[in-house]
């Protein structure tokens, strides 16, 4: 098991501000977890006693609406952290976190996080910036869902997925989602998502290879996402 000082993941999140002594303390107290595909890392409404650092793997952040239907709010990849908002606000977890593939995750106890916040101003500032960025993303998502037609939302989602996860060796978006998960991301029925994806393929904007999606014409997809 690598130490926090050796882990490259810290370069991509608020932990990059930690001193060697703070990293050593985290290493001594952290717990390494393997979260299998489909398992929950965090559950909406539950209390949380630490921060999760995603070493590798992908997951989705979801919330159940009043009808019990899953709404996918955001996607997370290796290098991100989770749980810091609940630690700071002393509120229960607001979303479910579900693994899209096997994930390696480090759990750092709440006490260590709070002590470090008091001692390290830059770490505190990084956490605040992270939360502010997430709030801005949430506001943009709400606006998108309220104002954009479903076809535009799909186009924007595909662009965001490629930006978040990159592409694999076949130039497909490097995450595998079911058609239902895509529908739950853009707020529509699964049948509608399937039809819209098929139309984009017919128009030469994307290609569908099994469950994988390849963007063929990014400019056209951008125009669609902006309502042109």
């Amino acid at each position: 098991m690598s130490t926090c000082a050796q882990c490259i993941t810290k370069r991509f999140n608020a932990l990059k501000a930690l001193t060697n002594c703070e990293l050593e303390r985290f290493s001594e107290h952290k717990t390494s977890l393997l979260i299998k595909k489909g398992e929950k890392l965090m559950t909406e409404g539950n209390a949380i006693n630490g921060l999760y650092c995603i070493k590798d793997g992908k997951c989705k952040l979801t919330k159940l609406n009043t009808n019990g239907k899953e709404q996918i709010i955001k996607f997370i990849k290796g290098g991100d952290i989770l749980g810091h908002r609940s630690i700071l606000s002393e509120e229960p977890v607001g979303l479910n976190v579900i693994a899209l593939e096997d994930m390696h995750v480090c759990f750092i106890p709440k006490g260590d996080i709070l002590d470090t916040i008091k001692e390290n101003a830059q770490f505190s500032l990084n956490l605040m910036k992270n939360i502010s960025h997430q709030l801005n993303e949430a506001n943009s998502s709400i606006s998108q869902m309220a104002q954009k037609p479903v076809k535009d939302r799909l186009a924007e989602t595909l662009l965001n997925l490629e930006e978040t996860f990159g592409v694999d060796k076949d130039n497909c978006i490097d995450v595998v989602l079911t058609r239902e998960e895509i529908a739950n991301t853009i707020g529509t029925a699964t049948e509608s998502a399937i039809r819209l994806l098929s139309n984009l393929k017919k128009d030469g904007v994307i290609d569908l290879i099994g469950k994988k999606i390849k963007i063929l014409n990014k400019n056209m997809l951008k125009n669609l996402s902006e309502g042109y």
Side-chain angles (χ1 to χ4, degrees), residues 72-103:
I72 297 179
I73 308 298
K74 183 179 173 63
F75 294 95
I76 294 290
K77 62 178 179 178
D80 287 323
I81 56 175
L82 294 168
H84 48 299
R85 188 203 63 81
S86 293
I87 290 175
L88 293 173
S89 65
E90 297 184 340
E91 295 175 348
V93 173
L95 299 170
N96 299 296
V97 180
I98 305 169
L100 291 168
E101 61 185 34
D102 290 357
M103 301 169 59

mmCIF file of all heavy atoms in Angstrom, residues 72-103:
data_model
loop_
_atom_site.group_PDB
_atom_site.id
_atom_site.type_symbol
_atom_site.label_atom_id
_atom_site.label_comp_id
_atom_site.label_asym_id
_atom_site.label_seq_id
_atom_site.Cartn_x
_atom_site.Cartn_y
_atom_site.Cartn_z
ATOM 1 N N ILE A 72 -28.979 11.157 -12.184
ATOM 2 C CA ILE A 72 -27.522 11.237 -12.091
ATOM 3 C C ILE A 72 -27.110 12.704 -12.126
ATOM 4 O O ILE A 72 -27.422 13.422 -13.069
ATOM 5 C CB ILE A 72 -26.839 10.447 -13.226
ATOM 6 C CG1 ILE A 72 -27.197 8.955 -13.107
ATOM 7 C CG2 ILE A 72 -25.320 10.638 -13.172
ATOM 8 C CD1 ILE A 72 -26.606 8.082 -14.194
ATOM 9 N N ILE A 73 -26.433 13.133 -11.071
ATOM 10 C CA ILE A 73 -26.067 14.535 -10.905
ATOM 11 C C ILE A 73 -24.684 14.836 -11.474
ATOM 12 O O ILE A 73 -24.453 15.887 -12.064
ATOM 13 C CB ILE A 73 -26.094 14.923 -9.406
ATOM 14 C CG1 ILE A 73 -27.441 14.539 -8.766
ATOM 15 C CG2 ILE A 73 -25.779 16.400 -9.228
ATOM 16 C CD1 ILE A 73 -28.632 15.231 -9.362
ATOM 17 N N LYS A 74 -23.757 13.889 -11.294
ATOM 18 C CA LYS A 74 -22.362 14.161 -11.650
ATOM 19 C C LYS A 74 -21.616 12.834 -11.771
ATOM 20 O O LYS A 74 -22.027 11.819 -11.196
ATOM 21 C CB LYS A 74 -21.728 15.030 -10.553
ATOM 22 C CG LYS A 74 -20.283 15.469 -10.798
ATOM 23 C CD LYS A 74 -19.794 16.339 -9.648
ATOM 24 C CE LYS A 74 -18.316 16.655 -9.747
ATOM 25 N NZ LYS A 74 -17.956 17.432 -10.933
ATOM 26 N N PHE A 75 -20.519 12.871 -12.505
ATOM 27 C CA PHE A 75 -19.626 11.719 -12.607
ATOM 28 C C PHE A 75 -18.277 12.072 -12.001
ATOM 29 O O PHE A 75 -17.808 13.206 -12.100
ATOM 30 C CB PHE A 75 -19.449 11.304 -14.074
ATOM 31 C CG PHE A 75 -20.707 10.785 -14.714
ATOM 32 C CD1 PHE A 75 -21.522 11.631 -15.450
ATOM 33 C CD2 PHE A 75 -21.070 9.466 -14.564
ATOM 34 C CE1 PHE A 75 -22.690 11.154 -16.037
ATOM 35 C CE2 PHE A 75 -22.239 8.976 -15.149
ATOM 36 C CZ PHE A 75 -23.048 9.820 -15.879
ATOM 37 N N ILE A 76 -17.649 11.078 -11.361
ATOM 38 C CA ILE A 76 -16.391 11.276 -10.641
ATOM 39 C C ILE A 76 -15.369 10.255 -11.132
ATOM 40 O O ILE A 76 -15.715 9.110 -11.427
ATOM 41 C CB ILE A 76 -16.604 11.101 -9.119
ATOM 42 C CG1 ILE A 76 -17.503 12.211 -8.573
ATOM 43 C CG2 ILE A 76 -15.283 11.081 -8.376
ATOM 44 C CD1 ILE A 76 -16.882 13.581 -8.557
ATOM 45 N N LYS A 77 -14.104 10.679 -11.203
ATOM 46 C CA LYS A 77 -13.034 9.780 -11.621
ATOM 47 C C LYS A 77 -11.890 9.839 -10.608
ATOM 48 O O LYS A 77 -11.944 10.599 -9.635
ATOM 49 C CB LYS A 77 -12.518 10.183 -13.004
ATOM 50 C CG LYS A 77 -11.923 11.575 -13.044
ATOM 51 C CD LYS A 77 -11.389 11.920 -14.417
ATOM 52 C CE LYS A 77 -10.821 13.336 -14.436
ATOM 53 N NZ LYS A 77 -10.243 13.691 -15.748
ATOM 54 N N GLY A 78 -10.862 9.034 -10.848
ATOM 55 C CA GLY A 78 -9.693 9.021 -9.993
ATOM 56 C C GLY A 78 -9.075 10.405 -9.864
ATOM 57 O O GLY A 78 -8.984 11.148 -10.824
ATOM 58 N N GLY A 79 -8.656 10.745 -8.644
ATOM 59 C CA GLY A 79 -8.085 12.052 -8.374
ATOM 60 C C GLY A 79 -9.038 12.979 -7.648
ATOM 61 O O GLY A 79 -8.615 13.971 -7.046
ATOM 62 N N ASP A 80 -10.343 12.660 -7.657
ATOM 63 C CA ASP A 80 -11.325 13.495 -6.971
ATOM 64 C C ASP A 80 -11.457 13.094 -5.508
ATOM 65 O O ASP A 80 -11.081 11.987 -5.109
ATOM 66 C CB ASP A 80 -12.692 13.378 -7.661
ATOM 67 C CG ASP A 80 -12.743 14.100 -8.995
ATOM 68 O OD1 ASP A 80 -12.134 15.171 -9.101
ATOM 69 O OD2 ASP A 80 -13.376 13.584 -9.927
ATOM 70 N N ILE A 81 -12.005 14.007 -4.707
ATOM 71 C CA ILE A 81 -12.299 13.716 -3.302
ATOM 72 C C ILE A 81 -13.797 13.864 -3.070
ATOM 73 O O ILE A 81 -14.478 14.630 -3.765
ATOM 74 C CB ILE A 81 -11.510 14.635 -2.353
ATOM 75 C CG1 ILE A 81 -11.773 16.122 -2.664
ATOM 76 C CG2 ILE A 81 -10.018 14.328 -2.412
ATOM 77 C CD1 ILE A 81 -11.118 17.082 -1.679
ATOM 78 N N LEU A 82 -14.298 13.145 -2.073
ATOM 79 C CA LEU A 82 -15.725 13.153 -1.746
ATOM 80 C C LEU A 82 -15.903 13.196 -0.234
ATOM 81 O O LEU A 82 -15.105 12.622 0.506
ATOM 82 C CB LEU A 82 -16.407 11.903 -2.302
ATOM 83 C CG LEU A 82 -16.479 11.751 -3.822
ATOM 84 C CD1 LEU A 82 -16.927 10.332 -4.181
ATOM 85 C CD2 LEU A 82 -17.446 12.766 -4.414
ATOM 86 N N GLY A 83 -16.964 13.849 0.197
ATOM 87 C CA GLY A 83 -17.309 13.844 1.619
ATOM 88 C C GLY A 83 -16.917 15.096 2.373
ATOM 89 O O GLY A 83 -17.375 15.303 3.500
ATOM 90 N N HIS A 84 -16.104 15.961 1.773
ATOM 91 C CA HIS A 84 -15.631 17.134 2.502
ATOM 92 C C HIS A 84 -16.757 18.136 2.792
ATOM 93 O O HIS A 84 -16.741 18.792 3.833
ATOM 94 C CB HIS A 84 -14.480 17.821 1.758
ATOM 95 C CG HIS A 84 -14.718 18.051 0.309
ATOM 96 N ND1 HIS A 84 -14.949 17.033 -0.584
ATOM 97 C CD2 HIS A 84 -14.748 19.205 -0.418
ATOM 98 C CE1 HIS A 84 -15.118 17.543 -1.795
ATOM 99 N NE2 HIS A 84 -15.002 18.858 -1.710
ATOM 100 N N ARG A 85 -17.744 18.237 1.896
ATOM 101 C CA ARG A 85 -18.848 19.164 2.157
ATOM 102 C C ARG A 85 -19.618 18.748 3.393
ATOM 103 O O ARG A 85 -19.953 19.585 4.247
ATOM 104 C CB ARG A 85 -19.790 19.218 0.947
ATOM 105 C CG ARG A 85 -20.865 20.309 1.062
ATOM 106 C CD ARG A 85 -22.074 20.001 0.205
ATOM 107 N NE ARG A 85 -22.742 18.783 0.623
ATOM 108 C CZ ARG A 85 -23.590 18.712 1.643
ATOM 109 N NH1 ARG A 85 -23.854 19.788 2.370
ATOM 110 N NH2 ARG A 85 -24.168 17.580 1.960
ATOM 111 N N SER A 86 -19.892 17.448 3.519
ATOM 112 C CA SER A 86 -20.636 16.956 4.681
ATOM 113 C C SER A 86 -19.835 17.113 5.973
ATOM 114 O O SER A 86 -20.398 17.391 7.035
ATOM 115 C CB SER A 86 -21.008 15.484 4.479
ATOM 116 O OG SER A 86 -21.944 15.343 3.428
ATOM 117 N N ILE A 87 -18.510 16.931 5.885
ATOM 118 C CA ILE A 87 -17.653 17.114 7.059
ATOM 119 C C ILE A 87 -17.733 18.560 7.556
ATOM 120 O O ILE A 87 -17.918 18.832 8.745
ATOM 121 C CB ILE A 87 -16.187 16.744 6.731
ATOM 122 C CG1 ILE A 87 -16.045 15.246 6.524
ATOM 123 C CG2 ILE A 87 -15.251 17.204 7.859
ATOM 124 C CD1 ILE A 87 -14.654 14.816 6.085
ATOM 125 N N LEU A 88 -17.611 19.505 6.624
ATOM 126 C CA LEU A 88 -17.583 20.912 6.998
ATOM 127 C C LEU A 88 -18.955 21.422 7.437
ATOM 128 O O LEU A 88 -19.060 22.244 8.350
ATOM 129 C CB LEU A 88 -17.059 21.753 5.830
ATOM 130 C CG LEU A 88 -15.589 21.518 5.470
ATOM 131 C CD1 LEU A 88 -15.218 22.267 4.200
ATOM 132 C CD2 LEU A 88 -14.674 21.945 6.604
ATOM 133 N N SER A 89 -20.006 20.960 6.788
ATOM 134 C CA SER A 89 -21.359 21.432 7.111
ATOM 135 C C SER A 89 -21.975 20.660 8.263
ATOM 136 O O SER A 89 -22.993 21.089 8.816
ATOM 137 C CB SER A 89 -22.267 21.308 5.878
ATOM 138 O OG SER A 89 -22.447 19.939 5.521
ATOM 139 N N GLU A 90 -21.353 19.532 8.622
ATOM 140 C CA GLU A 90 -21.895 18.632 9.656
ATOM 141 C C GLU A 90 -23.320 18.207 9.312
ATOM 142 O O GLU A 90 -24.199 18.117 10.169
ATOM 143 C CB GLU A 90 -21.838 19.286 11.039
ATOM 144 C CG GLU A 90 -20.418 19.595 11.502
ATOM 145 C CD GLU A 90 -20.358 20.142 12.909
ATOM 146 O OE1 GLU A 90 -21.394 20.653 13.413
ATOM 147 O OE2 GLU A 90 -19.285 20.070 13.527
ATOM 148 N N GLU A 91 -23.533 17.931 8.030
ATOM 149 C CA GLU A 91 -24.825 17.484 7.525
ATOM 150 C C GLU A 91 -24.693 16.081 6.947
ATOM 151 O O GLU A 91 -23.596 15.663 6.560
ATOM 152 C CB GLU A 91 -25.339 18.422 6.437
ATOM 153 C CG GLU A 91 -25.650 19.822 6.924
ATOM 154 C CD GLU A 91 -26.041 20.760 5.794
ATOM 155 O OE1 GLU A 91 -25.851 20.383 4.622
ATOM 156 O OE2 GLU A 91 -26.528 21.859 6.079
ATOM 157 N N PRO A 92 -25.797 15.341 6.862
ATOM 158 C CA PRO A 92 -25.749 14.019 6.232
ATOM 159 C C PRO A 92 -25.352 14.121 4.759
ATOM 160 O O PRO A 92 -25.457 15.195 4.148
ATOM 161 C CB PRO A 92 -27.188 13.493 6.375
ATOM 162 C CG PRO A 92 -27.788 14.303 7.475
ATOM 163 C CD PRO A 92 -27.146 15.653 7.401
ATOM 164 N N VAL A 93 -24.933 13.017 4.210
ATOM 165 C CA VAL A 93 -24.582 12.962 2.793
ATOM 166 C C VAL A 93 -25.800 13.301 1.945
ATOM 167 O O VAL A 93 -26.904 12.812 2.200
ATOM 168 C CB VAL A 93 -24.053 11.551 2.436
ATOM 169 C CG1 VAL A 93 -23.841 11.406 0.943
ATOM 170 C CG2 VAL A 93 -22.761 11.266 3.193
ATOM 171 N N GLY A 94 -25.606 14.146 0.929
ATOM 172 C CA GLY A 94 -26.742 14.586 0.115
ATOM 173 C C GLY A 94 -26.991 13.751 -1.121
ATOM 174 O O GLY A 94 -28.042 13.877 -1.759
ATOM 175 N N LEU A 95 -26.021 12.884 -1.489
ATOM 176 C CA LEU A 95 -26.135 12.103 -2.715
ATOM 177 C C LEU A 95 -25.674 10.668 -2.486
ATOM 178 O O LEU A 95 -24.939 10.392 -1.534
ATOM 179 C CB LEU A 95 -25.266 12.720 -3.824
ATOM 180 C CG LEU A 95 -25.579 14.148 -4.266
ATOM 181 C CD1 LEU A 95 -24.474 14.668 -5.172
ATOM 182 C CD2 LEU A 95 -26.923 14.217 -4.981
ATOM 183 N N ASN A 96 -26.113 9.782 -3.355
ATOM 184 C CA ASN A 96 -25.568 8.427 -3.390
ATOM 185 C C ASN A 96 -24.347 8.422 -4.307
ATOM 186 O O ASN A 96 -24.339 9.085 -5.342
ATOM 187 C CB ASN A 96 -26.608 7.436 -3.932
ATOM 188 C CG ASN A 96 -27.844 7.375 -3.062
ATOM 189 O OD1 ASN A 96 -27.780 6.978 -1.915
ATOM 190 N ND2 ASN A 96 -28.980 7.781 -3.619
ATOM 191 N N VAL A 97 -23.324 7.680 -3.918
ATOM 192 C CA VAL A 97 -22.130 7.524 -4.751
ATOM 193 C C VAL A 97 -22.003 6.047 -5.096
ATOM 194 O O VAL A 97 -21.827 5.203 -4.206
ATOM 195 C CB VAL A 97 -20.864 8.015 -4.028
ATOM 196 C CG1 VAL A 97 -19.642 7.833 -4.925
ATOM 197 C CG2 VAL A 97 -21.017 9.474 -3.621
ATOM 198 N N ILE A 98 -22.125 5.697 -6.379
ATOM 199 C CA ILE A 98 -22.183 4.312 -6.833
ATOM 200 C C ILE A 98 -21.079 4.060 -7.856
ATOM 201 O O ILE A 98 -20.923 4.823 -8.816
ATOM 202 C CB ILE A 98 -23.564 3.997 -7.446
ATOM 203 C CG1 ILE A 98 -24.676 4.339 -6.443
ATOM 204 C CG2 ILE A 98 -23.647 2.537 -7.869
ATOM 205 C CD1 ILE A 98 -26.068 4.323 -7.034
ATOM 206 N N ALA A 99 -20.330 2.992 -7.663
ATOM 207 C CA ALA A 99 -19.207 2.679 -8.543
ATOM 208 C C ALA A 99 -19.688 2.235 -9.921
ATOM 209 O O ALA A 99 -20.549 1.349 -10.034
ATOM 210 C CB ALA A 99 -18.335 1.592 -7.911
ATOM 211 N N LEU A 100 -19.120 2.821 -10.967
ATOM 212 C CA LEU A 100 -19.396 2.404 -12.342
ATOM 213 C C LEU A 100 -18.453 1.284 -12.768
ATOM 214 O O LEU A 100 -18.699 0.589 -13.750
ATOM 215 C CB LEU A 100 -19.235 3.593 -13.294
ATOM 216 C CG LEU A 100 -20.281 4.698 -13.171
ATOM 217 C CD1 LEU A 100 -19.838 5.928 -13.952
ATOM 218 C CD2 LEU A 100 -21.640 4.220 -13.670
ATOM 219 N N GLU A 101 -17.358 1.141 -12.049
ATOM 220 C CA GLU A 101 -16.375 0.075 -12.241
ATOM 221 C C GLU A 101 -15.662 -0.108 -10.907
ATOM 222 O O GLU A 101 -15.880 0.667 -9.976
ATOM 223 C CB GLU A 101 -15.391 0.444 -13.349
ATOM 224 C CG GLU A 101 -14.578 1.699 -13.058
ATOM 225 C CD GLU A 101 -13.694 2.116 -14.220
ATOM 226 O OE1 GLU A 101 -14.102 1.927 -15.379
ATOM 227 O OE2 GLU A 101 -12.586 2.632 -13.968
ATOM 228 N N ASP A 102 -14.845 -1.149 -10.780
ATOM 229 C CA ASP A 102 -14.114 -1.352 -9.532
ATOM 230 C C ASP A 102 -13.266 -0.123 -9.226
ATOM 231 O O ASP A 102 -12.606 0.432 -10.114
ATOM 232 C CB ASP A 102 -13.215 -2.584 -9.626
ATOM 233 C CG ASP A 102 -14.021 -3.884 -9.665
ATOM 234 O OD1 ASP A 102 -15.261 -3.814 -9.563
ATOM 235 O OD2 ASP A 102 -13.400 -4.955 -9.791
ATOM 236 N N MET A 103 -13.288 0.293 -7.964
ATOM 237 C CA MET A 103 -12.585 1.505 -7.547
ATOM 238 C C MET A 103 -11.681 1.225 -6.356
ATOM 239 O O MET A 103 -12.048 0.463 -5.457
ATOM 240 C CB MET A 103 -13.585 2.603 -7.140
ATOM 241 C CG MET A 103 -14.568 3.019 -8.209
ATOM 242 S SD MET A 103 -15.874 4.064 -7.516
ATOM 243 C CE MET A 103 -14.920 5.416 -6.856
#
